[in-house]
Amino acid sequence: MNTLWSIMSYGICVASLCLKVSAVTDTINTSQFLRDGETIVSSEGSFELGFFSPGRSRNRYLGIWYKNIPVPTVVWVANRENPVTDLSGILSINNSGAIVISNRTSHVIWSANSVQKAQNPLLQILESGNLVLRNRNGNSDIYLWQSFDNPSDTLLPGMKLGWDLRTNLNRQLTSWKSPDDPSPGELSNGIKLSEYPEPVIWKGTTEYFRGGPWNGLRITGAPEQKINPVFSFKFISNQDEVYYMYQLLKKSVITRIVLNETSSSRDRYVWVESENSWRLYGSLPRDYCDNYGLCGANGICVMTGSPVCQCLRGFKPKSAQRWNSMDWSNGCIRNEPLDCTRKHDFVKFSGLKLPDTTHTWLNRNMNMKECREACLKNCSCMAYTNSDIRGRGSGCALWFGDLIDIRQFSDGGQDLYIRMPSSQQSICLSFWSRIC
Ligand SMILES: *[C@@H]1O[C@H](CO)[C@@H](O)[C@H](O)[C@H]1NC(C)=O
Ligand SMILES: *[C@@H]1O[C@H](CO)[C@@H](O)[C@H](O)[C@H]1NC(C)=O
Ligand SMILES: *[C@@H]1O[C@H](CO)[C@@H](O)[C@H](O)[C@H]1NC(C)=O
Ligand SMILES: *[C@@H]1O[C@H](CO)[C@@H](O)[C@H](O)[C@H]1NC(C)=O
Ligand SMILES: *[C@@H]1O[C@H](CO)[C@@H](O)[C@H](O)[C@H]1NC(C)=O
């Protein structure tokens, strides 16, 4: 790795017309090129852009890595699927706002285009690790293109994970195929849109881990996500945008989230100066119960249970035989089918990861009483809860059809009110209680 990494320090200038990019700059303009071996560095020296070879590969990729730490850590790759096979790669931008990587024979290896009309554009590597294209004159916060809108496998502080609904832009992370190959692997992470959107990790096209919807404080599937001194996080969901983002509280901290193909996980690392290494801070999925839909429809996963899968109270295995052989995929059905002509009530379940939100309805202004009534009015409504648990709680989320991917947390879970025939109504607060 080290020898290949050091290849970057060679500067090869083939064309005689070239203006060399000076080492101290953070920008490239339309009359400059960035050759393999040259780099640009963000203003305070946090990030560097240049060509590199990953792992044992000899292929060359344009990427961004930390400049201020000694462990080579690439956070973004431009030409993930189209490497330059020798050291002839050249990065340039042109007057119409195209960013182009070409090789010795001037073949375009990779390009990205400005969405708006460019006027004397500049390509700049920012302190945040964002590579941006902007007009030289004009608002420096308006970007014609930015690498943050085209993530690789890493989510840096300030990056949006999710959707700009106005332009239909969907920002997702995708893992590298291997440490030697940055082309997109199996694992991806983004926001699943619905009335009540939530972050999801996919393996191929299959949902693999579900974060749960945002409850005003955190993602409901991550109760350990607490206020901490290192970073803050937020989830924005309105008619224009739906995204997750975290931000640093202390500028000196270096942290990143990365998807790992090998371990099939989404890992947060924090740089530990005294150890000169990355420390794993948290990893998703955490445990067996984090496997999406493990217990099937209307099942609930309890890590301390034996077996981990149980049917929600008021439900029984759809196939007792399969259930008893620990194949829970068929899930659970009601002990007594819901008869819409009869009276119904709700049973409160506590400490949960809220079910899959694909079939939900949301109203941010309703209170609990109105929410309950709204659910009662529609016989296919199975459950409701506050969409925002801050203070005394507000908003209304309704679930329709089967309840999928519920788990029990020992701490920090949420309440969910599940519809039951009136006869089964009870004062149970938790599903496993023997008193019920
Ligand atoms: C690009 O930057 C170089 C070095 O600062 C400068 O000499 C050149 O005039 C610039 N070109 C344009 C088109 O701005
Ligand atoms: C800039 O590059 C893009 C992509 O290669 C090309 O389509 C476009 O015509 C170029 N514009 C100019 C002004 O050279
Ligand atoms: C440049 O790229 C083209 C297209 O990928 C390829 O056919 C050609 O062999 C490359 N040239 C060199 C010198 O690598
Ligand atoms: C993935 O995890 C393995 C260990 O499980 C580690 O060696 C490797 O560096 C990780 N890759 C990334 C991209 O973090
Ligand atoms: C019940 O809710 C579902 C899902 O939102 C909807 O498709 C259906 O029309 C509703 N039924 C009634 C009677 O309102």
Side-chain angles (χ1 to χ4, degrees):
M1 179 98 188
N2 272 341
T3 51
L4 286 172
W5 198 262
S6 66
I7 287 176
M8 293 186 311
S9 56
Y10 291 82
I12 305 170
C13 196
V14 271
S16 49
L17 273 172
C18 59
L19 279 171
K20 249 183 140 36
V21 173
S22 127
V24 290
T25 184
D26 64 352
T27 55
I28 298 172
N29 66 25
T30 49
S31 55
Q32 292 171 311
F33 302 98
L34 185 85
R35 279 169 203 80
D36 194 320
E38 299 168 347
T39 62
I40 55 172
V41 175
S42 63
S43 59
E44 289 169 51
S46 294
F47 289 95
E48 187 165 28
L49 171 83
F51 288 91
F52 73 102
S53 290
R56 287 162 307 193
S57 169
R58 303 188 74 93
N59 286 333
R60 305 296 284 169
Y61 298 88
L62 181 77
I64 297 171
W65 55 87
Y66 292 93
K67 168 78 172 166
N68 55 355
I69 63 169
V71 176
T73 309
V74 173
V75 297
W76 183 76
V77 182
N79 51 325
R80 295 182 77 171
E81 291 176 90
N82 302 299
V84 185
T85 51
D86 60 12
L87 302 179
S88 69
I90 287 182
L91 170 70
S92 60
I93 61 171
N94 73 16
N95 277 317
S96 38
I99 308 166
V100 176
I101 301 173
S102 44
N103 67 5
R104 192 186 304 280
T105 45
S106 297
H107 280 92
V108 173
I109 299 290
W110 176 90
S111 71
N113 283 300
S114 154
V115 276
Q116 290 144 287
K117 200 174 171 313
Q119 269 184 327
N120 201 357
L122 279 177
L123 189 66
Q124 184 173 24
I125 177 80
L126 303 181
E127 268 297 290
S128 59
N130 196 3
L131 181 67
V132 302
L133 186 76
R134 61 178 181 84
N135 289 328
R136 171 187 293 279
N137 308 312
N139 191 334
S140 64
D141 291 336
I142 295 177
Y143 305 138
L144 303 167
W145 177 92
Q146 55 180 319
S147 62
F148 274 15
D149 279 346
N150 303 269
S152 295
D153 65 343
T154 302
L155 192 71
L156 293 172
M159 275 176 84
K160 292 175 178 178
L161 185 75
W163 296 79
D164 188 326
L165 301 171
R166 295 162 298 197
T167 56
N168 211 29
L169 170 71
N170 181 15
R171 308 175 197 85
Q172 290 195 347
L173 306 180
T174 35
S175 58
W176 288 22
K177 268 214 172 85
S178 77
D180 305 330
D181 181 2
S183 63
E186 279 267 278
L187 214 60
S188 61
N189 177 206
I191 306 296
K192 184 171 74 173
L193 289 181
S194 69
E195 284 264 321
Y196 201 18
E198 55 181 337
V200 164
I201 302 175
W202 292 271
K203 221 178 194 177
T205 52
T206 310
E207 205 162 329
Y208 170 62
F209 169 80
R210 196 174 60 83
W214 180 258
N215 64 14
L217 291 175
R218 57 180 176 265
I219 300 293
T220 65
E224 74 280 7
Q225 198 177 60
K226 294 200 172 110
I227 291 171
N228 69 78
V230 179
F231 52 87
S232 63
F233 33 82
K234 65 178 174 186
F235 192 90
I236 301 297
S237 178
N238 56 42
Q239 59 186 29
D240 292 338
E241 293 189 282
V242 182
Y243 66 84
Y244 168 83
M245 178 195 273
Y246 70 94
Q247 273 161 320
L248 287 183
L249 296 175
K250 279 198 198 120
K251 224 182 138 212
S252 59
V253 174
I254 301 177
T255 178
R256 68 193 162 103
I257 286 173
V258 64
L259 287 187
N260 192 319
E261 179 86 358
T262 322
S263 55
S264 289
S265 58
R266 176 197 197 263
D267 303 326
R268 179 187 284 283
Y269 288 96
V270 175
W271 177 255
V272 183
E273 186 80 53
S274 59
E275 291 167 14
N276 246 338
S277 65
W278 291 105
R279 179 183 293 160
L280 188 60
Y281 182 96
S283 195
L284 292 173
R286 283 155 297 209
D287 55 28
Y288 201 41
C289 278
D290 269 350
N291 280 299
Y292 178 78
L294 180 71
C295 301
N298 310 307
I300 179 165
C301 197
V302 187
M303 275 313 283
T304 53
S306 179
V308 291
C309 284
Q310 305 178 16
C311 286
L312 287 166
R313 244 181 50 79
F315 291 76
K316 62 184 182 198
K318 190 169 179 192
S319 156
Q321 196 193 345
R322 287 176 66 173
W323 189 269
N324 291 336
S325 59
M326 299 214 183
D327 172 4
W328 302 298
S329 56
N330 266 18
C332 309
I333 52 170
R334 289 182 180 277
N335 290 333
E336 188 188 326
L338 274 188
D339 178 351
C340 287
T341 60
R342 289 181 49 192
K343 212 166 167 284
H344 294 160
D345 224 309
F346 293 90
V347 173
K348 179 181 176 181
F349 291 73
S350 295
L352 302 187
K353 170 177 177 176
L354 296 179
D356 187 292
T357 61
T358 305
H359 304 292
T360 48
W361 180 88
L362 192 69
N363 182 310
R364 291 186 199 286
N365 303 318
M366 280 185 177
N367 63 30
M368 272 306 236
K369 191 160 167 284
E370 293 164 331
C371 192
R372 183 177 184 279
E373 275 157 23
C375 191
L376 271 181
K377 267 192 203 141
N378 186 323
C379 193
S380 50
C381 176
M382 285 299 135
Y384 72 90
T385 196
N386 271 148
S387 55
D388 191 331
I389 61 165
R390 282 176 298 180
R392 295 169 67 193
S394 62
C396 174
L398 305 184
W399 274 260
F400 299 94
D402 286 331
L403 302 173
I404 313 281
D405 198 41
I406 304 176
R407 67 172 295 176
Q408 182 80 37
F409 288 120
S410 52
D411 177 34
Q414 216 170 311
D415 296 340
L416 181 69
Y417 297 84
I418 301 180
R419 189 187 202 110
M420 297 289 168
S422 272
S423 59
Q424 289 206 350
Q425 190 201 354
S426 78
I427 49 154
C428 276
L429 287 187
S430 43
F431 77 100
W432 70 88
S433 173
R434 296 254 177 250
I435 313 156
C436 300

